[in-house]
């Protein structure tokens, strides 16, 4: 009997491969960072071959180092940074240009034009998304317009478009697929009908011939070739990383909410089997779907989402840009040297602002500096910025869903920071709960693959495996919280619109 599910978690800054046992515990893990490219202000690129190479290497290493053979693996689950756009040649398998990363703002102008043409309502109604450079559709349009010969080759059916799940599956199996949660981040997909939308394809001028086939998040979709792991293995779970984390956090019922603190920060609320439209600038998105008898996606769960573009990345910037810490985890001790932020506010709008501001022209700012400000204050202000941005998102979510949230489940690299988690509980006035397994993104992909292959029996079984590691209770007086939030919002106004002509 197979002992493990192999989860491949292809994140913005690193690729991870994790073996999960039947209790949903981590049996082994390998991780590798890969290069980020910032060729111009607001541009962020990856080499799609780096993505593939690092992901394959960690997957092979996790088996080899822990002496696990393909026979021990029941299935593969894949989860990925979403929206990042890859276009490759179907014959050679080579990308035609660098992958345009979700954080990249180069298509802000196209979004402005589409808004000026009055297209916003159409995109919102069909896709649940706002017209922002974040999503894959305008990035794909940019590639077709700017890479020599790309449009003609795409029209002749020679090029394939995919998000990172599609790219990895193509490399592993030769199939050209995307799951419905990743498709829902493209601005090209009707989330209600669960199909690519011809009208949206026409608006963004994307040939249908380059699109992947949409499959369920949970279901055997393809076989990874035997050359990679010594035997063919079913790819049975596929989901965007934030949807996978929601599944891994067992937010399986309507009204449950999780927040993941990785490069960015993403809060998702399960809203049930119907898509709920937002009145407060949140996104409506597909959570996950299950394969029906015909293999097609069904039983779709929908989510409301708030997306913050820079969260843990601000800590990396303190490490790599300013050099005031050596490793990300050092920020906690540095920030703890200051009893409070000393009046310093740091808005890390390095690549614009997401929910609820949706401002691609915002850039980072620091305000409130005095002669007495120290690097400890800056570290504290950086951590606090993650919590303030989350407070802005939760406020929008609570308005939309008209519920008072009792508890927020948290995960991701920066959720290991106790100081941040306590400050987060203080800022939200809501209990923050960290589970024992914080690799919930990979766990969610493993669960989706394991449910499809009988490794686990039911969603109830999965919910019963979720366990608390630590709870953080709000301890700040409401007046103090409000004062901090008011100043944060003044600081945000300094960052907004920065790149626009003066
Ligand atoms: N102790 C910590 N405190 C704050 N941030 C941290 C800490 N440890 C890691 N991080 C941040 O978490 C992020 C990595 O989290 P991860 O969930 O692996 O992200 P991703 O999947 O986006 O690559 C990095 O941006 C890193 O700076
Ligand atoms: O790589 P992460 O974990 O920061 O996630 C990125 C998101 O999927 C972007 O939408």
């Amino acid at each position: 009997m197979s002992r493990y599910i192999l989860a491949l978690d292809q994140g913005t800054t690193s690729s991870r491969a994790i073996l999960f046992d039947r209790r949903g515990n981590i049996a082994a893990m390998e991780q590798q960072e890969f290069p980020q490219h910032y060729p111009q202000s607001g541009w962020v690129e990856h080499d799609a071959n780096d993505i593939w190479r690092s992901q394959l290497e960690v997957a092979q290493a996790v088996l080899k180092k822990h002496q696990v053979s393909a026979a021990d693996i029941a299935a593969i689950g894949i989860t990925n940074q979403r929206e990042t756009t890859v276009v490759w040649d179907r014959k050679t398998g080579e990308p035609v240009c660098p992958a345009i990363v979700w954080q990249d703002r180069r298509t802000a102008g196209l979004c402005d034009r589409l808004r000026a043409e009055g297209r916003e309502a159409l995109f919102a109604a069909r896709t649940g998304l706002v017209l922002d450079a974040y999503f894959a559709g305008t990035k794909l349009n940019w590639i077709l317009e700017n890479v020599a010969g790309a449009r003609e080759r795409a029209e002749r059916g020679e090029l394939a478009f995919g998000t990172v799940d599609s790219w990895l599956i193509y490399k592993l199996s030769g199939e050209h697929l995307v799951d419905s949660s990743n498709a829902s981040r493209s601005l090209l997909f009707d989330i209600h009908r669960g199909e690519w939308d011809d009208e949206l394809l026409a608006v963004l001028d994307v040939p249908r011939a380059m699109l992947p086939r949409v499959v369920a998040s949970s279901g055997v979709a393809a076989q990874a070739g035997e050359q990679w792991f010594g035997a063919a293995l079913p790819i049975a779970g596929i989901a965007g990383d934030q949807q996978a984390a929601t599944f891994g956090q067992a937010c399986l019922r309507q009204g449950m909410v999780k927040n993941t603190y990785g490069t960015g920060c993403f809060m998702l609320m399960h809203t049930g089997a119907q898509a709920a439209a937002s009145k407060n600038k949140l996104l409506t998105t597909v959570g996950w779907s299950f394969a029906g008898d015909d293999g097609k996606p069904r039983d779709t769960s929908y989510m409301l989402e708030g997306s913050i573009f820079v969260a843990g990345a601000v800590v990396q910037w303190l490490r790599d840009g300013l050099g005031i810490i050596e490793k990300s985890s050092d920020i906690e001790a540095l920030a703890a040297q200051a009893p409070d932020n000393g009046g310093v506010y740091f808005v890390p709008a390095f690549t614009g602002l997401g929910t609820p501001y949706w401002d691609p022209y915002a850039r980072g700012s620091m305000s409130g500096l005095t002669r007495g400000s120290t690097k400890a204050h800056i570290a504290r202000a950086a951590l606090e910025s993650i919590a303030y941005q989350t407070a802005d998102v939760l406020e929008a979510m609570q308005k939309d869903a008209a519920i008072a949230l009792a508890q927020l489940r948290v995960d991701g690299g920066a959720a290991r920071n106790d100081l941040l988690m306590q400050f987060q509980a203080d800022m939200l006035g809501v209990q923050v709960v960290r589970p024992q397994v914080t690799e919930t993104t990979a766990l969610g992909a493993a669960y989706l693959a394991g449910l499809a292959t009988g490794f686990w029996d039911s969603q109830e079984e999965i919910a019963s495996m979720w366990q608390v590691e630590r709870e953080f209770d709000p301890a700040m007086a409401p007046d103090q919280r409000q004062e901090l939030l008011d100043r944060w919002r003044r600081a945000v106004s300094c960052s907004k619109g920065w790149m626009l002509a003066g």
Side-chain angles (χ1 to χ4, degrees):
M1 200 193 230
S2 307
R3 292 183 292 162
Y4 305 117
I5 300 285
L6 171 61
L8 307 183
D9 177 3
Q10 206 303 301
T12 310
T13 56
S14 75
S15 298
R16 262 170 278 204
I18 305 184
L19 292 173
F20 287 100
D21 66 18
R22 284 180 190 270
R23 293 293 315 147
N25 289 321
I26 294 176
M29 166 160 150
E30 290 294 324
Q31 180 169 4
Q32 203 184 107
E33 288 204 8
F34 64 92
Q36 311 285 312
H37 303 283
Y38 308 106
Q40 293 187 29
S41 168
W43 288 34
V44 187
E45 295 180 347
H46 290 160
D47 180 336
N49 282 322
D50 284 341
I51 290 179
W52 161 238
R53 183 194 35 75
S54 58
Q55 190 61 71
L56 179 66
E57 280 175 14
V58 290
Q60 290 176 331
V62 81
L63 300 191
K64 194 165 172 209
K65 280 198 193 163
H66 302 277
Q67 290 160 6
V68 169
S69 75
D72 293 320
I73 310 289
I76 297 177
I78 293 181
T79 181
N80 55 288
Q81 53 165 323
R82 308 167 301 168
E83 300 96 12
T84 296
T85 301
V86 188
V87 174
W88 66 92
D89 184 307
R90 289 185 190 277
K91 246 193 216 137
T92 64
E94 277 305 305
V96 300
C97 61
I100 305 182
V101 177
W102 58 275
Q103 297 161 315
D104 192 294
R105 307 286 93 189
R106 79 184 65 176
T107 57
L110 171 57
C111 293
D112 290 345
R113 285 200 295 285
L114 292 168
R115 243 191 312 276
E117 287 167 14
R119 309 275 193 187
E120 202 163 11
L122 171 72
F123 280 97
R126 301 264 171 91
T127 71
L129 305 177
V130 298
L131 269 178
D132 188 86
Y134 179 22
F135 305 105
T138 59
K139 299 181 197 292
L140 178 51
N141 172 284
W142 188 94
I143 292 172
L144 292 168
E145 295 300 319
N146 291 281
V147 174
R151 177 163 298 288
E152 297 70 32
R153 289 164 71 197
E155 271 159 12
R156 289 198 299 268
E158 293 169 17
L159 300 186
F161 150 74
T163 39
V164 167
D165 56 326
S166 316
W167 169 241
L168 294 175
I169 293 164
Y170 171 76
K171 287 297 207 184
L172 286 168
S173 72
E175 303 272 352
H176 186 206
L177 310 171
V178 65
D179 96 293
S180 49
S181 72
N182 275 294
S184 76
R185 314 294 294 187
S186 65
L187 283 174
L188 303 171
F189 185 71
D190 182 330
I191 58 170
H192 311 284
R193 288 186 303 119
E195 284 171 17
W196 300 120
D197 187 287
D198 284 321
E199 194 176 348
L200 303 180
L201 288 172
V203 174
L204 286 172
D205 214 358
V206 170
R208 211 175 223 277
M210 63 187 316
L211 299 182
R213 178 164 62 87
V214 182
V215 298
S217 319
S218 182
V220 177
Q223 299 285 329
E226 62 181 7
Q227 67 273 36
W228 308 121
F229 307 111
L233 287 173
I235 299 170
I238 313 166
D241 55 8
Q242 302 310 322
Q243 289 90 337
T246 313
F247 205 84
Q249 282 275 26
C251 292
L252 304 174
R253 281 179 290 109
Q254 197 167 343
M256 294 180 82
V257 184
K258 74 88 204 180
N259 200 30
T260 299
Y261 300 77
T263 304
C265 201
F266 302 87
M267 188 185 290
L268 271 71
M269 174 190 273
H270 194 307
T271 59
Q274 295 297 323
S278 173
K279 293 192 183 68
N280 295 285
K281 302 195 171 176
L282 297 170
L283 308 173
T284 305
T285 200
V286 169
W288 47 78
S289 56
F290 294 87
D293 293 338
D294 56 2
K296 292 198 175 145
R298 49 184 264 195
D299 296 334
T300 300
S301 288
Y302 292 89
M303 312 275 137
L304 277 176
E305 172 177 326
S307 317
I308 295 164
F309 297 150
V310 172
V314 72
V315 180
Q316 282 174 327
W317 183 73
L318 259 51
R319 185 191 67 183
D320 307 336
L322 291 190
I324 62 171
I325 50 173
E326 257 181 47
K327 46 186 196 316
S328 293
S329 55
D330 293 344
I331 194 172
E332 189 163 356
L334 179 58
Q337 287 173 17
D340 54 38
N341 66 14
V344 179
Y345 288 80
F346 181 177
V347 182
F350 300 146
T351 55
L353 288 166
T355 316
Y357 304 102
W358 296 114
D359 183 349
Y361 303 110
R363 287 297 179 270
S365 66
M366 241 183 260
S367 3
L369 291 168
T370 67
R371 185 65 183 77
S373 303
T374 64
K375 59 185 177 183
H377 291 121
I378 292 174
R380 196 160 186 120
L383 282 183
E384 289 189 357
S385 76
I386 301 174
Y388 295 136
Q389 292 184 92
T390 297
D392 288 341
V393 167
L394 185 64
E395 187 180 297
M397 201 167 265
Q398 292 198 317
K399 275 192 209 150
D400 254 352
I403 57 151
L405 188 69
Q407 192 183 72
L408 180 68
R409 294 185 174 191
V410 298
D411 55 72
R416 285 196 289 269
N417 189 313
D418 291 345
L419 189 147
L420 170 60
M421 290 301 104
Q422 182 55 51
F423 188 75
Q424 185 69 86
D426 290 345
M427 253 334 92
L428 301 179
V430 165
Q431 186 185 57
V432 165
V433 184
R434 191 167 61 195
Q436 279 186 0
V437 178
T438 50
E439 293 291 345
T440 49
T441 299
L443 181 58
Y447 282 155
L448 290 165
L451 282 173
T453 50
F455 193 82
W456 289 293
D457 291 330
S458 64
Q459 295 192 35
E460 289 71 36
E461 185 186 1
I462 278 162
S464 75
M465 291 193 284
W466 187 89
Q467 284 183 322
V468 177
E469 183 256 325
R470 184 160 170 190
E471 295 168 344
F472 298 85
D473 291 310
M476 189 180 277
D479 284 1
Q480 193 187 349
R481 173 188 311 146
Q482 200 50 54
E483 200 181 313
L484 290 169
L485 281 171
D486 288 346
R487 279 199 183 270
W488 158 255
R489 285 168 191 160
R490 278 176 64 193
V492 169
S493 60
C494 300
S495 275
K496 279 159 86 177
W498 185 259
M499 295 300 284
L500 294 171

